[in-house]
mmCIF file of all heavy atoms in Angstrom:
data_model
loop_
_atom_site.group_PDB
_atom_site.id
_atom_site.type_symbol
_atom_site.label_atom_id
_atom_site.label_comp_id
_atom_site.label_asym_id
_atom_site.label_seq_id
_atom_site.Cartn_x
_atom_site.Cartn_y
_atom_site.Cartn_z
ATOM 1 N N LYS R 321 -9.772 61.421 29.420
ATOM 2 C CA LYS R 321 -8.680 60.664 30.050
ATOM 3 C C LYS R 321 -7.714 60.078 29.019
ATOM 4 O O LYS R 321 -6.740 59.419 29.392
ATOM 5 C CB LYS R 321 -9.251 59.530 30.899
ATOM 6 C CG LYS R 321 -10.109 59.991 32.073
ATOM 7 C CD LYS R 321 -10.695 58.783 32.811
ATOM 8 C CE LYS R 321 -11.601 59.227 33.946
ATOM 9 N NZ LYS R 321 -12.224 58.068 34.657
ATOM 10 N N GLY R 322 -8.011 60.290 27.738
ATOM 11 C CA GLY R 322 -7.115 59.818 26.696
ATOM 12 C C GLY R 322 -7.537 58.541 26.005
ATOM 13 O O GLY R 322 -6.806 58.022 25.143
ATOM 14 N N VAL R 323 -8.728 58.018 26.323
ATOM 15 C CA VAL R 323 -9.216 56.814 25.670
ATOM 16 C C VAL R 323 -9.721 57.176 24.267
ATOM 17 O O VAL R 323 -10.427 58.172 24.094
ATOM 18 C CB VAL R 323 -10.345 56.147 26.480
ATOM 19 C CG1 VAL R 323 -10.847 54.889 25.765
ATOM 20 C CG2 VAL R 323 -9.864 55.804 27.882
ATOM 21 N N ILE R 324 -9.363 56.362 23.273
ATOM 22 C CA ILE R 324 -9.821 56.569 21.905
ATOM 23 C C ILE R 324 -10.954 55.587 21.610
ATOM 24 O O ILE R 324 -10.859 54.395 21.914
ATOM 25 C CB ILE R 324 -8.669 56.381 20.903
ATOM 26 C CG1 ILE R 324 -7.636 57.487 21.107
ATOM 27 C CG2 ILE R 324 -9.185 56.395 19.459
ATOM 28 C CD1 ILE R 324 -6.423 57.371 20.198
ATOM 29 N N PHE R 325 -12.032 56.088 21.004
ATOM 30 C CA PHE R 325 -13.209 55.280 20.713
ATOM 31 C C PHE R 325 -13.324 55.027 19.215
ATOM 32 O O PHE R 325 -12.939 55.858 18.390
ATOM 33 C CB PHE R 325 -14.484 55.978 21.206
ATOM 34 C CG PHE R 325 -14.702 55.866 22.679
ATOM 35 C CD1 PHE R 325 -13.959 56.630 23.569
ATOM 36 C CD2 PHE R 325 -15.648 54.985 23.197
ATOM 37 C CE1 PHE R 325 -14.154 56.534 24.931
ATOM 38 C CE2 PHE R 325 -15.861 54.879 24.564
ATOM 39 C CZ PHE R 325 -15.106 55.648 25.435
ATOM 40 N N MET R 326 -13.898 53.881 18.909
ATOM 41 C CA MET R 326 -14.219 53.549 17.525
ATOM 42 C C MET R 326 -15.696 53.173 17.490
ATOM 43 O O MET R 326 -16.160 52.349 18.293
ATOM 44 C CB MET R 326 -13.355 52.400 17.026
ATOM 45 C CG MET R 326 -13.280 52.280 15.513
ATOM 46 S SD MET R 326 -11.901 51.208 15.024
ATOM 47 C CE MET R 326 -12.159 51.126 13.259
ATOM 48 N N SER R 327 -16.438 53.764 16.583
ATOM 49 C CA SER R 327 -17.888 53.603 16.546
ATOM 50 C C SER R 327 -18.316 52.621 15.476
ATOM 51 O O SER R 327 -17.992 52.782 14.297
ATOM 52 C CB SER R 327 -18.542 54.972 16.292
ATOM 53 O OG SER R 327 -19.942 54.866 16.247
ATOM 54 N N THR R 328 -19.054 51.554 15.874
ATOM 55 C CA THR R 328 -19.584 50.555 14.952
ATOM 56 C C THR R 328 -21.084 50.403 15.184
ATOM 57 O O THR R 328 -21.645 50.983 16.105
ATOM 58 C CB THR R 328 -18.914 49.183 15.146
ATOM 59 O OG1 THR R 328 -19.377 48.602 16.377
ATOM 60 C CG2 THR R 328 -17.405 49.303 15.188
ATOM 61 N N THR R 329 -21.708 49.592 14.350
ATOM 62 C CA THR R 329 -23.132 49.316 14.511
ATOM 63 C C THR R 329 -23.358 47.871 14.928
ATOM 64 O O THR R 329 -22.609 46.973 14.519
ATOM 65 C CB THR R 329 -23.909 49.596 13.210
ATOM 66 O OG1 THR R 329 -25.278 49.195 13.372
ATOM 67 C CG2 THR R 329 -23.317 48.850 12.032
ATOM 68 N N ARG R 330 -24.392 47.644 15.730
ATOM 69 C CA ARG R 330 -24.733 46.292 16.158
ATOM 70 C C ARG R 330 -25.657 45.609 15.149
ATOM 71 O O ARG R 330 -26.032 44.452 15.337
ATOM 72 C CB ARG R 330 -25.424 46.329 17.516
ATOM 73 C CG ARG R 330 -26.830 46.906 17.474
ATOM 74 C CD ARG R 330 -27.534 46.883 18.806
ATOM 75 N NE ARG R 330 -28.976 47.071 18.643
ATOM 76 C CZ ARG R 330 -29.853 47.112 19.648
ATOM 77 N NH1 ARG R 330 -29.424 46.988 20.892
ATOM 78 N NH2 ARG R 330 -31.150 47.265 19.408
ATOM 79 N N THR R 331 -26.032 46.278 14.074
ATOM 80 C CA THR R 331 -27.046 45.762 13.150
ATOM 81 C C THR R 331 -26.562 44.569 12.327
ATOM 82 O O THR R 331 -27.373 43.801 11.818
ATOM 83 C CB THR R 331 -27.501 46.861 12.176
ATOM 84 O OG1 THR R 331 -26.377 47.309 11.408
ATOM 85 C CG2 THR R 331 -28.094 48.048 12.932
ATOM 86 N N GLY R 332 -25.252 44.434 12.173
ATOM 87 C CA GLY R 332 -24.726 43.330 11.377
ATOM 88 C C GLY R 332 -24.307 43.721 9.978
ATOM 89 O O GLY R 332 -23.592 42.972 9.306
ATOM 90 N N SER R 333 -24.737 44.882 9.518
ATOM 91 C CA SER R 333 -24.312 45.377 8.209
ATOM 92 C C SER R 333 -24.535 46.880 8.163
ATOM 93 O O SER R 333 -25.243 47.448 8.995
ATOM 94 C CB SER R 333 -25.085 44.689 7.078
ATOM 95 O OG SER R 333 -26.467 44.987 7.167
ATOM 96 N N GLY R 334 -23.930 47.507 7.180
ATOM 97 C CA GLY R 334 -24.058 48.953 7.055
ATOM 98 C C GLY R 334 -22.840 49.672 7.591
ATOM 99 O O GLY R 334 -22.036 49.101 8.337
ATOM 100 N N SER R 335 -22.713 50.934 7.208
ATOM 101 C CA SER R 335 -21.539 51.731 7.577
ATOM 102 C C SER R 335 -21.851 52.732 8.676
ATOM 103 O O SER R 335 -23.005 53.123 8.877
ATOM 104 C CB SER R 335 -21.010 52.479 6.348
ATOM 105 O OG SER R 335 -20.598 51.581 5.345
ATOM 106 N N VAL R 336 -20.796 53.134 9.374
ATOM 107 C CA VAL R 336 -20.873 54.192 10.381
ATOM 108 C C VAL R 336 -19.915 55.294 9.949
ATOM 109 O O VAL R 336 -18.741 55.038 9.676
ATOM 110 C CB VAL R 336 -20.477 53.662 11.780
ATOM 111 C CG1 VAL R 336 -20.381 54.811 12.779
ATOM 112 C CG2 VAL R 336 -21.494 52.633 12.257
ATOM 113 N N TYR R 337 -20.418 56.525 9.885
ATOM 114 C CA TYR R 337 -19.608 57.643 9.420
ATOM 115 C C TYR R 337 -19.398 58.717 10.480
ATOM 116 O O TYR R 337 -18.476 59.523 10.361
ATOM 117 C CB TYR R 337 -20.270 58.297 8.199
ATOM 118 C CG TYR R 337 -20.469 57.361 7.038
ATOM 119 C CD1 TYR R 337 -21.742 56.950 6.653
ATOM 120 C CD2 TYR R 337 -19.383 56.878 6.303
ATOM 121 C CE1 TYR R 337 -21.925 56.097 5.575
ATOM 122 C CE2 TYR R 337 -19.556 56.024 5.228
ATOM 123 C CZ TYR R 337 -20.834 55.641 4.873
ATOM 124 O OH TYR R 337 -21.014 54.790 3.809
ATOM 125 N N SER R 338 -20.253 58.765 11.494
ATOM 126 C CA SER R 338 -20.183 59.837 12.486
ATOM 127 C C SER R 338 -18.904 59.739 13.304
ATOM 128 O O SER R 338 -18.472 58.662 13.694
ATOM 129 C CB SER R 338 -21.394 59.790 13.414
ATOM 130 O OG SER R 338 -21.462 58.549 14.083
ATOM 131 N N SER R 339 -18.289 60.897 13.543
ATOM 132 C CA SER R 339 -17.058 60.943 14.314
ATOM 133 C C SER R 339 -17.107 62.152 15.239
ATOM 134 O O SER R 339 -18.149 62.767 15.419
ATOM 135 C CB SER R 339 -15.845 61.017 13.380
ATOM 136 O OG SER R 339 -15.910 62.194 12.585
ATOM 137 N N GLY R 340 -15.998 62.490 15.803
ATOM 138 C CA GLY R 340 -15.927 63.620 16.717
ATOM 139 C C GLY R 340 -14.628 63.558 17.487
ATOM 140 O O GLY R 340 -13.758 62.709 17.214
ATOM 141 N N THR R 341 -14.476 64.415 18.456
ATOM 142 C CA THR R 341 -13.267 64.417 19.280
ATOM 143 C C THR R 341 -13.097 63.063 19.964
ATOM 144 O O THR R 341 -13.957 62.608 20.711
ATOM 145 C CB THR R 341 -13.341 65.517 20.348
ATOM 146 O OG1 THR R 341 -13.521 66.790 19.719
ATOM 147 C CG2 THR R 341 -12.060 65.541 21.184
ATOM 148 N N GLY R 342 -12.000 62.405 19.656
ATOM 149 C CA GLY R 342 -11.717 61.125 20.282
ATOM 150 C C GLY R 342 -12.494 59.951 19.729
ATOM 151 O O GLY R 342 -12.389 58.837 20.251
ATOM 152 N N ILE R 343 -13.268 60.160 18.646
ATOM 153 C CA ILE R 343 -14.120 59.097 18.088
ATOM 154 C C ILE R 343 -13.781 58.890 16.615
ATOM 155 O O ILE R 343 -13.738 59.842 15.836
ATOM 156 C CB ILE R 343 -15.612 59.449 18.229
ATOM 157 C CG1 ILE R 343 -15.961 59.771 19.679
ATOM 158 C CG2 ILE R 343 -16.480 58.298 17.715
ATOM 159 C CD1 ILE R 343 -17.346 60.352 19.849
#
Side-chain angles (χ1 to χ4, degrees):
K321 297 177 182 178
V323 180
I324 294 178
F325 282 76
M326 199 164 175
S327 180
T328 72
T329 175
R330 71 177 197 181
T331 61
S333 63
S335 298
V336 172
Y337 301 111
S338 59
S339 61
T341 302
I343 306 170

